[in-house]
């Protein structure tokens, strides 16, 4: 018997517990898909959304990163983003956002990541806009025409794919479009959450000579080490003398600083620290300040004296998700990504969000 309803985790009020609700399962839209969403990632951004730190419409179904199995195709939907035929039963991932294509960033500046009216699953698709099943924290999701959908390579562990489901494309954008890692470079990564580990893993794949991860707490660094991500791991979380740790980072670079420092911590104070970790003539790539966590003091002399290229990178497009999925065979062959994930049944969404908030897990993923 064909299922006619789907369950979804809904944000109804900021700062209040989420609610598991049931909604009618519609027909697949023309040009779109219905996907049985077996895996929905819990991102730090979801915590900010739940707490009301971002201006979004509510109520809405949460979840902007997912993986699932195609259940139904709407009229005119025949291929994924890479041109491969799509059929019911295929395992796919999808980009969270659809750019409008007509605003100045889309039309004139070739920057769809900066689209002024992008629609994002699990972020700004309110229940009242329909369909209600428009987030990955659900057992089904309705994907609209224009969504970038890509088949997952056969044999890929879904948990491994989900370990960096949002972080991977975000870093693909940063390292492909904004400032690439060059062969033989020494790279420092600030932050040991999913974005930091994605940056470190991608830097290793790109041919960095040494990758130094500075973050914390210690358990996160241990999991990174166990996964094979990073060459040097230094804990700066909660230490009495952060400057001592920063000296160790510089020593690990050889003394002169890194060719490239990548900020993935999301802590404003990390920016001032990171500027001092790059060599003269080096680069500072800032990815982690996705939400506005406040101001911080920096010393602009560090930028001028070191003659740094300081570059920011925001979000990702469907093309960057495709790049991430294409890299999955190489990533999973080299790094033990599935070990970064802690799975929670959909019903335990509150426990998953709490675990992300207290840092007791590296990556939480809801399963249904």
């Amino acid at each position: 018997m064909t299922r006619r309803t789907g369950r979804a985790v809904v944000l109804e009020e900021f700062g209040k517990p989420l609610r598991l609700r049931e909604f009618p399962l519609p027909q697949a839209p023309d040009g779109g898909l219905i996907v049985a969403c077996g895996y929905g990632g819990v991102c730090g951004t979801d915590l900010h959304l739940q707490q009301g730190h971002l201006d979004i419409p509510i109520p809405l179904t949460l979840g902007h990163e997912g993986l699932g199995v195609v259940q139904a195709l709407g009229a005119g939907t025949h291929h994924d983003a890479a041109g491969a035929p799509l059929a019911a039963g295929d395992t796919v991932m999808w980009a969270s956002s659809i750019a409008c294509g007509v605003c100045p960033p889309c039309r004139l500046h070739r920057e769809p990541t900066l689209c002024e009216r992008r629609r994002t699953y699990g972020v700004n698709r309110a229940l009242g806009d329909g369909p209600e099943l428009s987030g990955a924290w659900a057992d089904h999701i309705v994907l609209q025409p224009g969504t970038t959908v890509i088949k997952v390579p056969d044999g890929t562990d879904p948990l491994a794919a989900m370990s960096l489901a949002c972080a991977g494309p975000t870093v693909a954008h940063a390292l492909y479009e904004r400032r690439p890692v060059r062969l033989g470079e020494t790279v420092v990564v600030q932050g040991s959450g999913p974005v930091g580990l994605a940056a470190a893993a991608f830097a290793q794949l790109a041919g960095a000579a040494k990758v130094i991860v500075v973050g914390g707490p210690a358990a996160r660094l241990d999991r990174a080490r166990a996964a094979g991500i990073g060459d040097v791991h230094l804990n700066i979380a909660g230490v009495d003398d952060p400057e001592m740790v920063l000296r160790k980072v510089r020593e690990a670079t050889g003394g002169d600083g890194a060719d490239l420092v990548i900020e993935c911590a999301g802590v404003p104070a990390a920016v001032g620290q990171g500027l001092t970790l790059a060599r003269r003539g080096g680069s500072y790539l800032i990815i982690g300040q996705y939400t506005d966590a406040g101001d911080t003091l920096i010393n602009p002399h560090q930028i001028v004296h070191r003659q740094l290229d300081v570059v920011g990178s925001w979000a990702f497009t469907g093309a960057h998700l495709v790049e991430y999925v294409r890299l999955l065979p190489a990533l999973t062959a080299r790094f033990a990504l599935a070990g970064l994930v802690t799975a929670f049944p959909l019903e335990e969404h509150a426990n998953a969000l709490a675990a992300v908030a207290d840092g007791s897990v590296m990556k939480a993923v809801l399963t249904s």
Side-chain angles (χ1 to χ4, degrees):
M1 183 176 177
T2 302
R3 184 163 184 173
R4 299 185 180 279
T5 61
R7 299 175 305 151
V9 179
V10 176
L11 170 60
E12 296 182 331
E13 294 184 68
F14 296 126
K16 298 294 179 64
L18 306 174
R19 184 179 166 202
L20 187 61
R21 294 176 55 180
E22 194 158 324
F23 299 103
L25 188 61
Q27 297 292 317
D30 290 353
L33 305 169
I34 302 289
V35 175
C37 185
Y39 302 88
V42 183
C43 179
T45 300
D46 293 311
L47 185 64
H48 291 291
L49 296 176
Q50 190 267 342
Q51 294 174 343
H53 295 167
L54 295 170
D55 183 19
I56 60 168
I58 55 173
L60 61 81
T61 297
L62 286 171
H64 57 275
E65 49 181 277
L67 180 151
V69 175
V70 176
Q71 179 172 298
L73 289 80
T77 306
H78 305 293
H79 299 87
D80 75 353
L86 268 182
D90 287 339
T91 299
V92 297
M93 298 181 77
W94 54 92
S96 54
S97 295
I98 304 175
C100 74
V102 296
C103 69
C106 286
R107 189 179 64 248
L108 300 177
H109 305 149
R110 300 177 299 281
E111 288 287 359
T113 53
L114 304 181
C115 174
E116 296 169 356
R117 292 188 292 274
R118 66 178 183 159
R119 300 297 306 280
T120 303
Y121 296 107
V123 175
N124 64 5
R125 290 183 174 271
L127 296 186
D129 296 338
E132 295 92 348
L133 297 169
S134 292
W137 291 14
D139 54 25
H140 289 77
I141 186 170
V142 182
L143 298 181
Q144 300 298 321
T147 305
T148 298
V149 178
I150 183 73
K151 291 173 68 172
V152 175
D154 291 341
T156 302
D157 183 338
L159 292 181
M162 287 302 301
S163 67
L164 305 174
C166 180
T170 298
V171 172
H173 172 223
L175 296 186
Y176 187 86
E177 313 281 358
R178 305 298 290 151
R179 203 299 192 171
V181 174
R182 300 174 182 127
L183 288 173
E185 286 192 319
T186 297
V187 177
V188 167
V189 175
Q190 295 176 278
S192 51
V195 176
L197 297 197
F202 282 25
Q204 288 173 274
L205 283 185
K210 180 186 281 188
V211 176
I212 302 156
V213 179
V214 53
R220 284 198 165 195
L221 294 170
D222 290 343
R223 295 188 83 162
R225 188 181 296 108
I229 298 175
D231 301 304
V232 178
H233 306 82
L234 296 169
N235 186 7
I236 200 170
V239 299
D240 294 331
D241 185 4
E243 184 54 44
M244 181 261 299
V245 180
L246 297 177
R247 285 197 296 272
K248 290 183 178 179
V249 175
R250 295 186 199 100
E251 290 169 5
T253 69
D256 294 329
D259 300 292
L260 172 63
V261 179
I262 310 175
E263 187 280 315
C264 305
V267 178
V271 176
Q273 295 173 346
L275 291 173
T276 71
L277 299 177
R279 66 166 173 82
R280 298 189 75 183
S283 299
Y284 191 41
L285 175 60
I286 304 175
I287 308 175
Q289 308 293 322
Y290 194 79
T291 54
D292 188 347
D295 297 332
T296 188
L297 290 174
I298 66 168
N299 183 345
H301 173 69
Q302 294 291 340
I303 299 172
V304 175
H305 170 69
R306 295 173 188 276
Q307 195 168 293
L308 300 182
D309 292 324
V310 180
V311 181
S313 184
W314 174 261
F316 63 90
T317 69
H320 304 116
L321 173 71
V322 172
E323 290 167 4
Y324 169 66
V325 172
R326 283 175 167 169
L327 275 174
L328 279 173
L331 285 166
T332 55
R334 181 162 179 179
F335 306 110
L337 297 184
L340 303 176
V341 174
T342 303
F344 295 82
L346 196 61
E347 297 83 359
E348 295 183 15
H349 54 85
N351 293 336
L353 201 60
V356 171
D358 66 22
S360 59
V361 300
M362 175 67 75
K363 179 65 181 181
V365 173
L366 298 176
T367 61
S368 59

